[in-house]
Amino acid sequence: MSGRVFYSGRDAFSSMSPLYLLGLNPGGDPDAYRTETIGRHPAEVASHPGNWSAYRDEAWCGGEPGTWGLQPRVLHLLRRLSLDPGEVASSNLVFARSQQEASLTRRQLLQYADACWPFHQAVIESLQVRAVVCFGQTAGSYVRRRLHADRQCGEFVETNNRGWTSRAHAGEGGVNVVTVTHPSRTDWCNPAADISDLVSNSLS
């Protein structure tokens, strides 16, 4: 299937990573990216330097590396946390690509998420992750259920007219789940919408 597994390289997945970044699934037209398959992607990432990040080092849509779409927003968050993007484990809840979330039925999404979850569970346990940052409510709701993260332990409300809210919940084994506004829709670089402090508190 068209898709990808890793958004950071070997360094991020071979030593402790207090933070785990999880989007919902890779975007783009599966037909246009039909050669970029889930099966081929691990070997492709293995060919990159150990310290590699799709958010920092990939050129998306013809732009300079790290400058397109949500890339600057994720990099802003990691700078605020004093974390190297190439050392932070990053992936998507679902590895299969779709043009948008609505392109997948709820049944498909749950099936794919269930199939991918053993990978994420192994990452969280082996890297001793303390906080899973989920981009958007769909990914956050699924991860919260899996980690039994039911007790709210933090909240950030945007200080703008929109007032969108991001929340942190405490889960089993000391792992917090932070469900944040999606960086494709929200400019985290704007102080009014910056979720960095919420994530930082979830790591402490």
Side-chain angles (χ1 to χ4, degrees):
M1 295 180 68
S2 176
R4 60 188 305 173
V5 181
F6 300 100
Y7 277 66
S8 47
R10 296 187 306 278
D11 290 359
F13 288 91
S14 58
S15 59
M16 288 191 298
S17 178
L19 191 68
Y20 190 25
L21 300 179
L22 272 186
L24 179 61
N25 73 314
D29 184 352
D31 290 332
Y33 293 94
R34 59 183 175 274
T35 61
E36 296 184 12
T37 66
I38 297 169
R40 293 176 181 173
H41 191 245
E44 178 187 335
V45 172
S47 70
H48 295 320
N51 188 300
W52 171 84
S53 167
Y55 297 116
R56 180 190 63 199
D57 302 317
E58 282 192 346
W60 290 1
C61 297
E64 291 294 318
T67 65
W68 184 263
L70 56 81
Q71 287 179 311
R73 299 164 184 184
V74 174
L75 295 177
H76 167 79
L77 168 65
L78 297 179
R79 278 195 302 271
R80 288 285 314 274
L81 300 175
S82 300
L83 293 174
D84 183 335
E87 296 178 354
V88 174
S90 306
S91 185
N92 279 299
L93 176 64
V94 168
F95 303 149
R97 186 187 307 278
S98 67
Q99 284 189 302
Q100 52 189 341
E101 180 179 339
S103 301
L104 299 174
T105 67
R106 176 170 174 77
R107 182 177 181 180
Q108 283 178 315
L109 192 61
L110 288 175
Q111 286 178 334
Y112 292 158
D114 288 346
C116 297
W117 182 252
F119 172 90
H120 301 307
Q121 185 73 51
V123 169
I124 292 166
E125 292 176 356
S126 63
L127 303 188
Q128 300 180 32
V129 170
R130 299 202 304 271
V132 182
V133 174
C134 301
F135 298 173
Q137 294 293 328
T138 302
S141 296
Y142 183 92
V143 175
R144 280 184 55 205
R145 178 170 62 82
R146 281 289 193 168
L147 296 179
H148 305 287
D150 301 320
R151 180 177 61 83
Q152 184 172 317
C153 58
E155 180 179 88
F156 168 71
V157 181
E158 294 179 358
T159 56
N160 51 32
N161 292 333
R162 188 172 59 190
W164 287 358
T165 301
S166 298
R167 294 182 174 89
H169 291 81
E172 291 183 345
V175 181
N176 293 326
V177 179
V178 191
T179 306
V180 296
T181 53
H182 201 288
S184 66
R185 297 185 175 185
T186 303
D187 183 6
W188 295 347
C189 302
N190 184 330
D194 190 349
I195 47 84
S196 303
D197 288 342
L198 176 66
V199 176
S200 178
N201 292 337
S202 297
L203 289 169
S204 60

